[in-house]
Amino acid sequence: MRRSSILLVVTVIGFALPFTTDISAQTTAFASKAESDTVKYGKTPWEYEPYNRFEKPYNRFFLDTLEYPGYGRHIPEPEYVDSVKIGFIGPIIGPIPGLPGSLKTLELKVNQRVIRWDGYPVSHLAPIGTKMLQGTQLAVEQANARGGYRGKIPYSLIVRNDNGNWRSSGRETIMLAYKDSVWAILGTVDGANSHIAIRAALKAEIPVMNTADTDPTFVETRIPWVFRCITDDRQMCYLLADFAFKKLGLKRIAALRAVNRYGRMSIDEFRDAATRLGHPFMAELQYEEGDTDFSRQLRRIQSLNADGVITYGNAKESALVLKQMRSMGMNQWFFGSDRMVTKEFLDIVGKNHGNVAAGYPYDPTRKDPEYLQFIKDFRNRFGEEPETYAAHAYDGMNMIIEAIEKAGLNRALIRDQLAAMSNYEGVTGRIELDAVFSDRSPAFLAILKDSKLEFYTQDEIFSDKIEF
Amino acid sequence: MHRIFLILAVATSLAPKGLCQSGPTITLAGEPYVYKEWESFTEESTHGGLINDHIFFLEADGDSLWIGTEGGLVLYENGKWKSWTEEDGLPWKVVMGLAKDPRTGELWLALFGEGIARFSGGHFEHFTQMNSGLLNDVVYGVDIQGDNVWVATTAGISRYNQVTGEWAVFNEKHAPMEEVWTYNVDAAEDRVYFAVWGGGILEWDVKTQVWTDYVDPDGEMEIDLYRDDGLVHVITTSASYIDNVLWAGTYFGLSRYDRRNWRGYMDIDSGLPSNFINLAVGRNGTSCYSCTDKGLGVLVDFETDTWVTYKQDTEDAETWTAHVMVGNQEIKTMSTNLDLPNHFTICVEFMGDDVWIGTGHGLARGIGNGYYDGLRGKGSSAGSFKGPTNPK
């Protein structure tokens, strides 16, 4: 989306480097002006705002709550429905072991009926999509146990699979809207597929709740039908940057990230923050999804004498990068995305992990009763542990159901109800929707200590009670 | 004269804000044409002749109008309605775009989620990503240039040569596309333009066969650093090329590019009723019609920044009002008889002196009796441009 970002980085570096020694003085000088701007998109700290040291923008976007001024609210409710349909779209068909990328036949039981896909293309994101579907299912089943829509009509989940490589999410969204006639949609994971899905939803005028795509640009499109109940990479990158540069005092960070859209877009705010603090990346190297050998890129980083390495990619590749770093004697801090906070990552890196930190959208160790009940219910239903994608999907589907209960069967009115949920108490904590309906609740920092992940708030990190 | 306006514009941009706010009274440099007389059509008012009120695209065909709707294809001809649905062989009911081939007389349809179709001799020929070179079945727009049918899909651009039967595809591997989500296409004899959602505007030079991309120079989603430094935003929704001028619609405002200078328009500095532009279509190099979620914003005269904006002033207003503006300063309002119940405007088309608009709930035709381009009396002492335009 920001093809010019590399050029801009070069340009900004050119401006930023001469000021490196007296940035704090400039920060002070501009602070009073910045403090007068009470509303800030994305809770962006002043020092991370674009062009903050050079120019005040002609116009700022995403500060006013998105409106839908169309006709949809006048569409009458249907006289009869036998179920209240809600759509799910996500990558749920994974690779067959030993035959990556093969076609697969899958049977899935949803709403007491078996859905069968024959020869459907598979997705490497299926583990995430499957968890998302489980969280969604649990929310729907619990709503039906309470009596369904307004105590009378059962909710039903209409499940469609998407596959990032085939960019199928657009068509699947259209089919959910026009053929399945669902009232709202939950999904999907991959950034590109999510963008495609919401563009389709915009034309079809149907609400979409996203619970898994942390791409900052996902909501930066002014689509008034889109909601996201997960803290995004903008918030997580700000926290990671604060930790790396302000807490740890690092200055020489190198990046090694996936070449795909996730790697490219999600690291963006960290890269910009580094540049704006006067510490532009020493290098930004890439790898292909599925790569297992990163020694060439790591040797380059080793030669740069970097004091930290950041990656953005899937758990497996991130873990392999870290493992190879340590085996090469590279003991720098290792930073990464929430996709590292998984059992798969921990299993691969083993005990010799060293200093590792990742952004995370919520605190999975929280002890409040609603969250603990969710974990218990999830275990009972699926016989396995929930994680971030299941928990956020559970919250997202509950938000949809609550909106439908209040609005009735009208897509525009359901949208309005979701738009009104500026503060929603979910099992993942308080969800704070901003003017573009994206969750701006504070991110957490996951620190790997003795092979266990610990989670910290921004205040805790800077409290001086914890040593890193 | 042009230089005078440029000087005024520069002086305005450099003047202190307080000075601008207390500046001289703005008057019209001439009278813009205002569409006061309209005919409105809904499914109800046409007794089902218009089969669906959600209008996605309009294509003039002489005195007839092809209409792409959420529920099928419609032709309005000689005051009568004819429609095609899936029962009549239409491959898919949601028609997002249309293009009439001037050489063959065939109609090409962009089908939302089901590829494209060629309508010829009463039959539909269906092209999908499974039986053709289409990059994706989610198609937002289609247009004709010479022998080629250009298709804007959600996964890139496809091109079909009607003579050779060859397909070509353009995505991030073959064109300077940061993103591949193509949203709209406008083909002229010498150039073909694409609005690429997240990727700005993409230009295909027919003669040199070279792509050029235009993006927002500041590279940031949450701001526009300078008004006239280039495209206002990369979330583009439409491209319209006429008289060597490109008009680009975005969800953040409108841009005009004359191949030398860019000009940006937003609701804070112009007659645009909203920055959320579904489609912007140039009537000529100095006039553009922007279909927004809050009405139709018409830049009537580029030089004098004169606008006529058509919208419902209140949600329950029975008719729309025309607001004559210079920049964002309202000069006067005029009543119209346009009575569509909602001003969420999606598409626009010109038919001689008349203008057609499609909305989220109905279709309307502005009757252009005595229509004229630009401003009447422009340059006379009575109607000279007297003041700068001010930000809100």
Side-chain angles (χ1 to χ4, degrees):
Chain A
M1 186 163 290
R2 302 198 314 188
R3 197 183 64 81
S4 57
S5 58
I6 295 170
L7 282 175
L8 277 170
V9 166
V10 172
T11 308
V12 174
I13 289 170
F15 283 108
L17 284 179
F19 301 128
T20 305
T21 53
D22 60 350
I23 271 181
S24 58
Q26 288 190 59
T27 304
T28 307
F30 280 81
S32 59
K33 186 177 75 173
E35 281 165 7
S36 66
D37 298 332
T38 53
V39 181
K40 292 194 172 185
Y41 170 64
K43 290 186 176 175
T44 304
W46 176 83
E47 66 268 32
Y48 298 154
E49 285 184 9
Y51 304 100
N52 58 13
R53 299 176 207 286
F54 309 108
E55 187 68 279
K56 188 175 180 182
Y58 174 71
N59 202 358
R60 296 178 191 272
F61 305 121
F62 316 131
L63 301 178
D64 299 323
T65 302
L66 294 181
E67 299 173 89
Y68 164 65
Y71 186 77
R73 297 177 189 86
H74 298 275
I75 298 170
E77 280 199 34
E79 290 181 4
Y80 172 79
V81 292
D82 55 9
S83 72
V84 175
K85 296 176 183 174
I86 303 173
F88 171 93
I89 180 167
I92 52 174
I93 303 178
I96 300 167
L99 292 171
S102 296
L103 301 178
K104 184 178 181 179
T105 301
L106 179 109
E107 290 182 353
L108 186 71
K109 193 174 180 183
V110 182
N111 296 327
Q112 307 307 314
R113 63 193 175 87
V114 173
I115 299 169
R116 183 186 176 91
W117 284 277
D118 291 322
Y120 214 95
V122 300
S123 169
H124 67 281
L125 294 173
I128 293 173
T130 303
K131 284 289 185 187
M132 201 168 84
L133 177 57
Q134 289 172 331
T136 303
Q137 278 184 269
L138 183 62
V140 170
E141 288 167 3
Q142 289 179 346
N144 284 335
R146 295 192 296 270
Y149 171 65
R150 295 184 175 173
K152 294 176 182 172
I153 305 170
Y155 288 99
S156 62
L157 200 58
I158 308 299
V159 178
R160 285 184 175 265
N161 182 48
D162 86 56
N163 181 290
N165 296 333
W166 281 46
R167 288 163 175 157
S168 56
S169 63
R171 187 176 185 281
E172 297 300 322
T173 301
I174 291 165
M175 294 303 128
L176 282 169
Y178 289 111
K179 283 202 166 169
D180 301 328
S181 300
V182 302
W183 295 103
I185 297 170
L186 186 145
T188 177
V189 180
D190 168 74
N193 256 6
S194 298
H195 268 284
I196 287 172
I198 61 174
R199 290 172 60 223
L202 168 65
K203 291 291 185 187
E205 299 193 341
I206 186 166
V208 171
M209 172 63 74
N210 188 287
T211 65
D213 177 12
T214 52
D215 171 5
T217 68
F218 172 70
V219 293
E220 293 171 353
T221 50
R222 299 198 74 231
I223 298 179
W225 296 89
V226 173
F227 303 85
R228 174 163 65 186
C229 70
I230 185 169
T231 297
D232 73 352
D233 282 311
R234 180 181 286 277
Q235 314 308 135
M236 289 189 271
C237 281
Y238 291 158
L239 182 57
L240 266 185
D242 280 352
F243 179 67
F245 300 111
K246 296 178 183 174
K247 179 71 179 180
L248 300 177
L250 305 185
K251 290 181 175 148
R252 301 171 61 83
I253 300 277
L256 174 54
R257 62 165 176 83
V259 74
N260 60 17
R261 193 172 188 285
Y262 174 70
R264 172 166 57 95
M265 300 307 298
S266 296
I267 204 172
D268 215 33
E269 295 302 329
F270 185 91
R271 183 202 301 112
D272 286 350
T275 302
R276 287 163 192 159
L277 288 176
H279 310 302
F281 284 168
M282 307 298 297
E284 185 170 344
L285 307 178
Q286 301 167 359
Y287 59 79
E288 292 285 349
E289 219 166 276
D291 279 0
T292 55
D293 181 6
F294 308 93
S295 55
R296 185 176 55 83
Q297 297 99 315
L298 289 174
R299 277 198 298 274
R300 168 94 191 280
I301 291 172
Q302 201 169 25
S303 72
L304 295 170
N305 194 28
D307 53 18
V309 175
I310 186 167
T311 191
Y312 261 79
N314 290 326
K316 184 179 178 185
E317 287 90 341
S318 300
L320 290 174
V321 169
L322 175 60
K323 194 167 186 178
Q324 287 175 30
M325 270 179 62
R326 301 305 184 227
S327 69
M328 292 168 66
M330 296 173 67
N331 295 317
Q332 298 97 328
W333 267 94
F334 185 71
F335 306 100
S337 75
D338 57 320
R339 289 194 182 179
M340 293 192 338
V341 184
T342 63
K343 184 174 181 300
E344 182 184 20
F345 178 86
L346 299 178
D347 289 346
I348 294 172
V349 298
K351 291 181 179 176
N352 186 29
H353 50 72
N355 289 324
V356 178
Y360 209 59
Y362 79 119
D363 178 7
T365 62
R366 58 203 302 264
K367 303 293 182 198
D368 73 87
E370 287 79 12
Y371 183 57
L372 296 177
Q373 184 64 46
F374 161 71
I375 292 174
K376 185 180 171 187
D377 293 344
F378 194 94
R379 266 188 214 135
N380 289 339
R381 172 64 178 84
F382 299 106
E384 52 190 89
E385 294 297 310
E387 38 64 279
T388 178
Y389 297 102
H392 284 93
Y394 180 79
D395 277 346
M397 183 51 72
N398 276 324
M399 291 173 78
I400 289 175
I401 289 169
E402 186 175 318
I404 293 173
E405 291 287 337
K406 289 178 178 171
L409 301 182
N410 176 293
R411 289 172 178 171
L413 295 175
I414 294 166
R415 185 220 82 95
D416 291 347
Q417 288 297 333
L418 286 168
M421 292 183 193
S422 54
N423 283 290
Y424 181 88
E425 297 295 341
V427 298
T428 57
R430 174 168 289 186
I431 293 162
E432 303 170 21
L433 298 187
D434 67 359
V436 292
F437 312 132
S438 188
D439 181 17
R440 296 297 173 198
S441 58
F444 286 78
L445 192 72
I447 301 279
L448 191 54
K449 277 187 180 173
D450 301 327
S451 299
K452 288 185 178 174
L453 287 159
E454 297 177 355
F455 295 84
Y456 298 97
T457 64
Q458 170 110 5
D459 287 345
E460 288 168 341
I461 291 166
F462 286 92
S463 68
D464 291 332
K465 291 178 183 172
I466 304 162
E467 289 186 7
F468 296 100
Chain B
M1 179 64 82
H2 188 70
R3 283 183 185 171
I4 293 170
F5 290 120
L6 278 176
I7 291 166
L8 277 172
V10 171
T12 303
S13 66
L14 294 175
K17 196 174 178 183
L19 183 62
C20 281
Q21 287 173 335
S22 59
T25 305
I26 298 167
T27 56
L28 287 171
E31 282 295 327
Y33 184 84
V34 176
Y35 284 96
K36 290 181 282 190
E37 186 184 346
W38 293 77
E39 290 177 314
S40 299
F41 308 95
T42 62
E43 187 178 349
E44 185 180 8
S45 73
T46 61
H47 308 290
L50 179 61
I51 52 174
N52 190 289
D53 284 327
H54 201 160
I55 314 295
F56 282 128
F57 203 83
L58 304 169
E59 174 82 352
D61 185 4
D63 291 331
S64 303
L65 185 74
W66 292 97
I67 305 155
T69 82
E70 198 170 42
L73 174 68
V74 181
L75 175 65
Y76 182 65
E77 189 173 39
N78 299 323
K80 294 182 178 174
W81 303 89
K82 191 173 181 184
S83 59
W84 292 263
T85 66
E86 287 165 290
E87 290 178 359
D88 307 303
L90 181 69
W92 174 235
K93 63 181 180 179
V94 186
V95 180
M96 191 59 67
L98 296 163
K100 180 86 184 286
D101 188 334
R103 295 188 186 186
T104 65
E106 295 170 335
L107 187 71
W108 288 85
L109 291 78
L111 302 173
F112 193 47
E114 283 291 346
I116 61 172
R118 172 164 51 191
F119 187 41
S120 179
H123 298 283
F124 293 95
E125 185 181 2
H126 192 195
F127 301 85
T128 70
Q129 64 186 89
M130 301 304 287
N131 69 4
S132 73
L134 268 185
L135 277 167
N136 198 281
D137 284 339
V138 179
V139 180
Y140 286 93
V142 61
D143 208 357
I144 314 294
Q145 176 268 317
D147 295 331
N148 293 318
V149 181
W150 289 88
V151 188
T153 87
T154 203
I157 297 162
S158 291
R159 186 184 67 191
Y160 175 62
N161 187 302
Q162 298 181 73
V163 175
T164 65
E166 289 177 329
W167 286 86
V169 296
F170 304 94
N171 56 24
E172 76 277 14
K173 296 185 176 79
H174 324 94
M177 301 174 85
E178 176 72 1
E179 307 291 4
V180 296
W181 311 314
T182 322
Y183 215 49
N184 181 248
V185 52
D186 186 44
E189 195 174 320
D190 55 339
R191 288 183 175 85
V192 184
Y193 284 93
F194 294 87
V196 185
W197 176 276
I201 295 288
L202 202 57
E203 173 191 277
W204 171 258
D205 188 307
V206 173
K207 188 176 179 183
T208 63
Q209 307 269 296
V210 171
W211 289 104
T212 303
D213 64 328
Y214 300 94
V215 295
D216 180 5
D218 63 48
E220 299 292 341
M221 302 292 279
E222 66 266 44
I223 61 165
D224 188 34
L225 189 61
Y226 299 113
R227 174 177 169 173
D228 298 326
D229 60 343
L231 197 61
V232 296
H233 207 277
V234 290
I235 301 292
T236 49
T237 57
S238 63
S240 176
Y241 180 62
I242 187 165
D243 295 346
N244 294 315
V245 168
L246 168 70
W247 299 94
T250 81
Y251 284 153
F252 299 80
L254 174 72
S255 286
R256 179 186 187 272
Y257 178 55
D258 64 5
R259 309 203 62 76
R260 187 177 182 87
N261 297 302
W262 286 89
R263 178 69 167 172
Y265 299 96
M266 297 182 202
D267 56 4
I268 58 169
D269 55 34
S270 75
L272 277 176
S274 164
N275 289 332
F276 192 93
I277 299 174
N278 289 306
L279 182 74
V281 180
R283 190 158 194 168
N284 53 51
T286 63
S287 178
C288 182
Y289 287 57
S290 296
C291 303
T292 83
D293 60 343
K294 294 178 182 172
L296 179 71
V298 180
L299 174 57
V300 177
D301 184 55
F302 165 70
E303 276 195 347
T304 58
D305 203 15
T306 304
W307 295 74
V308 179
T309 293
Y310 302 83
K311 61 181 181 179
Q312 286 176 301
D313 283 349
T314 61
E315 198 174 328
D316 53 358
E318 291 186 359
T319 56
W320 299 25
T321 301
H323 297 255
V324 179
M325 305 173 75
V326 176
N328 70 337
Q329 299 295 300
E330 185 169 286
I331 306 300
K332 59 183 175 182
T333 61
M334 301 173 80
S335 300
T336 80
N337 68 344
L338 177 52
D339 60 357
L340 287 180
N342 186 272
H343 61 191
F344 192 98
T345 317
I346 298 172
C347 49
V348 63
E349 174 67 312
F350 308 111
M351 186 182 285
D353 289 342
D354 293 351
V355 62
W356 287 86
I357 58 169
T359 75
H361 195 82
L363 174 73
R365 176 184 198 161
I367 309 296
N369 285 332
Y371 173 82
Y372 53 88
D373 283 334
L375 304 181
R376 174 169 286 166
K378 181 178 172 183
S380 69
S381 57
S384 60
F385 182 75
K386 290 184 177 175
T389 59
N390 308 326
K392 275 175 187 168

